[in-house]
Amino acid sequence: MLIAGNWKMFKGPEETSEFCRALRDADLGDADVVVCPPYASLAAAVTALADTEIGVAAQNVHWAAEGPFTGEVSAAMLRELGVYGAIVGHSERRQYFGETDETVARRVRAALDAGLFVIACVGESEEEREAGQTELILRLQVEAIADAAADRGDNLAVAYEPIWAIGTGRTATPQLAQEAHLLIKSILDVPVLYGGSVKPENAAELCGQSAVDGALVGGASLDLDSFAEICRRSSQS
Ligand code: PEP
């Protein structure tokens, strides 16, 4: 089970150091664990988690190695910092910052080329689900990622994050997650994480589905006890 904590725009460097020092000593069961702090806190996380098995990933990455792209950060820069991977195409990036399947694909390709592990996010909105378009949307999103990944799938995971379940407290049923994951795996054979209001109470059931290979956790990853509990329960199932 891969459990990744997406901290979004929470925890500056000081809080990050403190959290990561505590995470080192926490019981995380058998899960493979990754934390994804904001850019400003990546160095603090890398330092605090040095010599541990816990990975540090960014929440985005640009496709160019360098250039006039104000506000962006390249894969080479992340690698230089000791960062292990990056989330790409999170629905908040797609929703608020104009990310498209095309820009997501470019970011995925560049990150994989630079040797980063990529967690590429896909998921349908509530309107798309109600209109019966879930399969179509997932196909388009996953095919764009598959084309970009080409032969580099070894360093890639997909996170299925139905938008209506992110930060809302509404979770996909385990059956619904399983169906979506099977569809994704039929297009791209990589580990698929579930994301959307994962908590200690639902982690075991969701992660117990055969096509669920872990979780991308937002809100509940900000609290050490709940994050550690999710890690432990995910690997118990
Ligand atoms: C996320 O941001 O990727 C996420 C899944 O958030 P939450 O767990 O808070 O729904």
Side-chain angles (χ1 to χ4, degrees):
M1 284 291 142
L2 171 61
I3 307 296
N6 173 19
W7 294 1
K8 313 192 187 209
M9 201 170 71
F10 293 97
K11 297 192 193 298
E14 239 175 81
E15 202 182 339
T16 294
S17 299
E18 200 180 312
F19 185 97
C20 290
R21 279 195 298 266
L23 191 61
R24 289 178 74 111
D25 299 330
D27 175 7
L28 304 174
D30 294 327
D32 290 328
V33 179
V34 174
V35 292
C36 311
Y39 283 135
S41 301
L42 285 171
V46 168
T47 303
L49 295 171
D51 308 320
T52 73
E53 304 263 284
I54 303 170
V56 177
Q59 296 173 17
N60 198 8
V61 57
H62 196 258
W63 53 82
E66 59 182 7
F69 300 108
T70 304
E72 294 284 335
V73 173
S74 75
M77 292 168 187
L78 294 174
R79 293 275 296 175
E80 191 178 332
L81 212 53
V83 165
Y84 148 88
I87 297 173
V88 175
H90 190 278
S91 65
E92 287 156 11
R93 300 292 319 167
R94 294 176 187 259
Q95 208 175 339
Y96 306 129
F97 300 99
E99 209 74 76
T100 63
D101 285 345
E102 196 208 326
T103 58
V104 168
R106 293 180 78 180
R107 291 179 198 274
V108 167
R109 180 79 210 173
L112 292 174
D113 281 348
L116 288 173
F117 181 80
V118 172
I119 301 174
C121 302
V122 299
E124 79 288 358
S125 67
E126 182 149 40
E127 299 74 54
E128 288 162 346
R129 176 158 285 276
E130 277 170 6
Q133 293 177 331
T134 300
E135 182 171 340
L136 172 69
I137 295 296
L138 290 181
R139 273 191 186 284
L140 291 172
Q141 293 177 338
V142 177
E143 278 166 8
I145 293 163
D147 287 348
D151 54 345
R152 298 197 195 276
D154 286 357
N155 237 4
L156 174 69
V158 167
Y160 169 58
E161 301 207 301
I163 297 171
W164 46 270
I166 296 182
T168 58
R170 287 173 63 196
T171 315
T173 61
Q175 292 71 19
L176 192 148
Q178 172 79 354
E179 271 169 36
H181 284 219
L182 287 173
L183 171 68
I184 293 165
K185 282 172 181 281
S186 73
I187 304 165
L188 181 57
D189 188 18
V190 296
V192 181
L193 316 182
Y194 170 78
S197 298
V198 174
K199 303 180 203 74
E201 303 80 61
N202 58 26
E205 205 186 357
L206 284 161
C207 292
Q209 302 301 304
S210 61
V212 176
D213 303 302
L216 181 55
V217 187
S221 73
L222 295 170
D223 176 78
L224 182 70
D225 291 340
S226 73
F227 187 56
E229 187 71 31
I230 289 169
C231 292
R232 288 194 298 273
R233 292 196 187 183
S234 73
S235 52
Q236 274 164 9
S237 55

